[in-house]
Amino acid sequence: MEMFSLQWAKTAFWAKTMFARHWGKLLLLQAVLLVGLGYLLSSMTAGGNEKPSPPKAERTASESPKQAEAWTCSMHPQIRRSGPGDCPLCGMDLIPVESSSAAPAPMLSGDAEAWTCSMHPQIRRTGPGDCPLCGMDLIPVESSSAAPAPMLSVAAEAAALMNVETVPVREKPVETEVEMVGKVAYDETRLGHITAWVDGRIDRMFVDYAGVNVKKGDHLVYIYSEELYSAQAELIDAVGYSRAGNGSERSLSPGGIDMAEATRNKLRMLGLTAEQIERIEEQERPTTHLTVFAPFGGVVIEKHRRQGERVSRGDLLYTVADLGQVWVNLDAYESDLPWIRYGQNVSFTVEAFPGETFIGRIGFINPMLDETTRTVKVRVIVPNPDGKLKPGMFTRGKVRARLGAGGELIAPELRGKWISPMHPWIVKDAPGNCDVCGMKLVEPKTLGYETADVAYEPLVIPASAPLITGKRAVVYVEVPDADQPTFEGREVVLGPRAGDYYIVLEGLDEGELVVVRGNFKIDSEIQIQAKPSMMSPEGAENGHPPHAGTHPHE
């Protein structure tokens, strides 16, 4: 008995120790057992009261009327099928469409003209299949609801909410102002070089730096020349021989040549003036040096030699430019070229004289385009009597132009005038020759001008009317006499832009109403309907949006 009591005491002690160590685990185990028991009891109760459900297809077939012709999804009513199944969007069971409330079922036969995707309406196919973007089944497009593409009809209230505004197409004169930038440059026709006429050594340079303003006849260089010395000696001998022979200066050589006159011509070719030659004959002794005089006036822009250097005949000494007239080379963009003509007046300003405007005439338009800047050089000839314009100055020029319907520039002030094709400032009232180059004067019409007082005015639309993609332009025209606001998309051919207007070459007639506000909204709605629009000229018949080619489903 004592032994049993001792054993019981040991067992109780062990149980107490284990419970103290693992009481948390025991409580968790008890909770799990209770939850499992409850789940088992509830399953037994539900199994006794619920009847076994038939398969999904049998259930759907038993619940639907036998005459159901279309099945749809309660969450996506655009999904239509000819039999039961699952919705391809959400996976829900399709339900039959009741004939009393169902809309006309879409064409499901192979006679449908177009098939599209309910999620991607830009996809169009000529037969049933899968959408190349999302894999959904294509559905037929109902011909009864398709409006003539690309047209959009909206209710009057919807048009008011879209804030659609139209204006008539009309003929009117348009003017524009073309802005260009450029730089002042030398007039190359007034740029000259002074060279050495004889071989020799430069002993002195009277003009020893660039920038000096010289006049015609000013002395520039003092050159020692052996060749010149010999030629002077020949002249003195020839004159002395003629005087000793018969007392006359005109004495012929055995070959019948006047040696004195021939020697004088040789000295003239070496750069000596008539006064210098007469002085040599009077002194009867040659000079060792030659003074080079300026043959024309201007500003020395470059000095090519230094004092003490030897030069050969033809070597450059100075480059001189006459700044009484300068060029302004402006850069014109390709889109501005229709407004620019030879002989146009150009006004421009420079930063050195703020508020002062200079006027010149276009004397040359470069026939070549600069492929780097995509501009064309326009040369403006500008008188510069006071020397304010310095080569290298930056300029900002403006040209005002009025364009006719045929692309000619309207200039009534040139009516009856004749212009020089090389010097645009030469304008006369009668035909003749240019006073500068002698070329025949031409009529303004040959240079792209229209001189009539009343010229044919172009057809124009506001600049906000066309939707321009870069390759084409689309405008939306309001259809007249429609039951509700109806807009038709039309591709047009545009001419140059003139301020707030575009010149229309093809596609519109005078008096038609074009949309100038709300055209993007109209185009967006037409795109949603997969009709031809601004970005899709053929609609979605080909079935591929811009990036469909890289989609993994294709």
Side-chain angles (χ1 to χ4, degrees):
M1 187 68 179
E2 292 180 0
M3 191 171 232
F4 176 77
S5 299
L6 182 59
Q7 186 68 27
W8 173 255
K10 289 181 179 181
T11 303
F13 178 76
W14 177 84
K16 184 177 180 181
T17 303
M18 291 297 295
F19 181 78
R21 289 182 179 179
H22 304 285
W23 66 274
K25 297 179 181 180
L26 294 175
L27 290 177
L28 180 60
L29 179 60
Q30 183 180 1
V32 171
L33 292 175
L34 291 175
V35 171
L37 181 60
Y39 179 75
L40 180 61
L41 293 176
S42 62
S43 300
M44 294 175 63
T45 305
N49 298 333
E50 185 178 1
K51 297 179 180 180
S53 58
K56 180 173 58 177
E58 297 179 3
R59 182 179 68 250
T60 308
S62 62
E63 293 174 359
S64 60
K66 294 183 180 179
Q67 65 273 16
E69 297 181 355
W71 297 71
T72 186
C73 175
S74 59
M75 293 296 294
H76 302 92
Q78 71 271 21
I79 301 299
R80 296 294 177 92
R81 294 291 186 270
S82 58
D86 296 334
C87 175
L89 300 182
C90 61
M92 294 179 60
D93 296 338
L94 299 182
I95 60 175
V97 178
E98 297 180 5
S99 58
S100 59
S101 60
M107 296 179 296
L108 298 177
S109 65
D111 297 334
E113 296 181 357
W115 295 70
T116 186
C117 175
S118 57
M119 292 296 293
H120 303 93
Q122 72 271 20
I123 301 299
R124 290 294 178 94
R125 293 290 188 270
T126 57
D130 296 333
C131 174
L133 299 183
C134 61
M136 292 175 54
D137 295 337
L138 300 182
I139 60 175
V141 178
E142 298 181 11
S143 58
S144 60
S145 61
M151 299 182 69
L152 177 68
S153 297
V154 296
E157 296 80 3
L161 292 175
M162 294 169 66
N163 199 19
V164 176
E165 180 182 346
T166 61
V167 298
V169 181
R170 53 177 177 164
E171 293 180 353
K172 62 170 293 185
V174 289
E175 294 185 1
T176 189
E177 188 176 81
V178 178
E179 296 186 357
M180 298 175 286
V181 296
K183 293 171 64 176
V184 179
Y186 301 107
D187 185 343
E188 294 181 5
T189 64
R190 296 174 177 241
L191 197 66
H193 298 290
I194 299 176
T195 62
W197 290 40
V198 294
D199 297 342
R201 181 185 68 241
I202 300 176
D203 284 348
R204 185 175 181 184
M205 299 192 76
F206 298 102
V207 178
D208 54 357
Y209 60 91
V212 177
N213 195 353
V214 299
K215 297 179 181 179
K216 183 178 180 180
D218 286 352
H219 56 286
L220 302 177
V221 178
Y222 196 53
I223 297 179
Y224 166 76
S225 173
E226 299 86 348
E227 181 183 3
L228 181 63
Y229 187 87
S230 300
Q232 294 177 79
E234 292 177 8
L235 175 62
I236 295 172
D237 291 342
V239 173
Y241 173 77
S242 62
R243 291 176 180 175
N246 54 11
S248 174
E249 291 187 3
R250 295 191 58 82
S251 177
L252 300 178
S253 66
I257 301 175
D258 187 350
M259 296 299 297
E261 188 62 27
T263 309
R264 292 189 187 100
N265 289 334
K266 181 179 181 180
L267 290 174
R268 292 190 191 100
M269 297 300 294
L270 293 177
L272 269 68
T273 63
E275 292 80 7
Q276 289 175 312
I277 295 174
E278 290 179 3
R279 191 179 305 113
I280 293 171
E281 294 181 9
E282 292 174 359
Q283 294 176 355
E284 294 185 353
R285 68 175 184 273
T287 179
T288 58
H289 289 75
L290 167 67
T291 301
V292 178
F293 296 94
F296 47 84
V299 177
V300 177
I301 62 175
E302 189 172 0
K303 182 171 70 74
H304 301 278
R305 297 292 177 178
R306 297 184 181 276
Q307 188 168 305
E309 291 186 20
R310 285 199 64 87
V311 293
S312 300
R313 183 180 304 173
D315 286 351
L316 288 177
L317 300 178
Y318 299 99
T319 300
V320 180
D322 180 9
L323 298 183
Q325 179 174 287
V326 295
W327 288 351
V328 175
N329 294 321
L330 300 174
D331 293 326
Y333 289 104
E334 295 178 72
S335 58
D336 295 332
L337 292 180
W339 304 98
I340 299 174
R341 295 290 188 279
Y342 169 87
Q344 269 183 298
N345 285 331
V346 179
S347 61
F348 64 93
T349 59
V350 295
E351 293 185 3
F353 303 98
E356 185 173 356
T357 302
F358 299 87
I359 304 295
R361 282 183 179 269
I362 296 178
F364 178 74
I365 301 175
N366 197 325
M368 305 299 293
L369 177 75
D370 188 332
E371 296 184 1
T372 303
T373 61
R374 309 303 303 173
T375 58
V376 171
K377 288 292 183 182
V378 177
R379 181 189 303 161
V380 181
I381 302 173
V382 185
N384 188 34
D386 50 8
K388 288 185 176 180
L389 298 176
K390 316 292 184 185
M393 283 184 171
F394 286 104
T395 63
R396 295 181 179 273
K398 294 181 181 179
V399 174
R400 295 195 62 84
R402 178 183 172 189
L403 208 62
E408 67 279 355
L409 206 66
I410 300 176
E413 67 275 7
L414 293 179
R415 184 179 56 180
K417 303 293 184 179
W418 295 76
I419 305 177
S420 169
M422 288 292 293
H423 303 91
W425 61 90
I426 303 296
V427 181
K428 295 185 178 181
D429 296 330
N433 297 327
C434 176
D435 299 336
V436 179
C437 61
M439 296 181 64
K440 290 185 178 181
L441 303 181
V442 298
E443 292 184 281
K445 287 185 177 181
T446 62
L447 302 176
Y449 289 95
E450 173 58 55
T451 58
D453 288 334
V454 180
Y456 179 67
E457 296 174 346
L459 200 66
V460 298
I461 57 175
S464 60
L467 303 178
I468 303 176
T469 65
K471 295 182 178 180
R472 52 195 295 269
V474 176
V475 297
Y476 285 97
V477 183
E478 185 174 359
V479 178
D481 303 328
D483 295 337
Q484 55 184 352
T486 303
F487 304 97
E488 174 190 2
R490 192 179 302 175
E491 187 171 345
V492 297
V493 179
L494 298 179
R497 177 169 179 170
D500 296 332
Y501 294 91
Y502 273 107
I503 295 177
V504 180
L505 302 181
E506 296 179 9
L508 292 173
D509 295 323
E510 185 178 7
E512 289 187 301
L513 297 177
V514 295
V515 178
V516 296
R517 181 182 297 175
N519 43 6
F520 278 102
K521 298 177 182 178
I522 296 175
D523 189 80
S524 299
E525 181 62 26
I526 287 181
Q527 288 188 47
I528 292 176
Q529 297 182 10
K531 299 176 182 178
S533 60
M534 174 182 66
M535 299 304 296
S536 301
E538 299 179 358
E541 294 179 359
N542 294 330
H544 293 286
H547 297 285
T550 59
H551 198 277
H553 290 288
E554 290 192 68

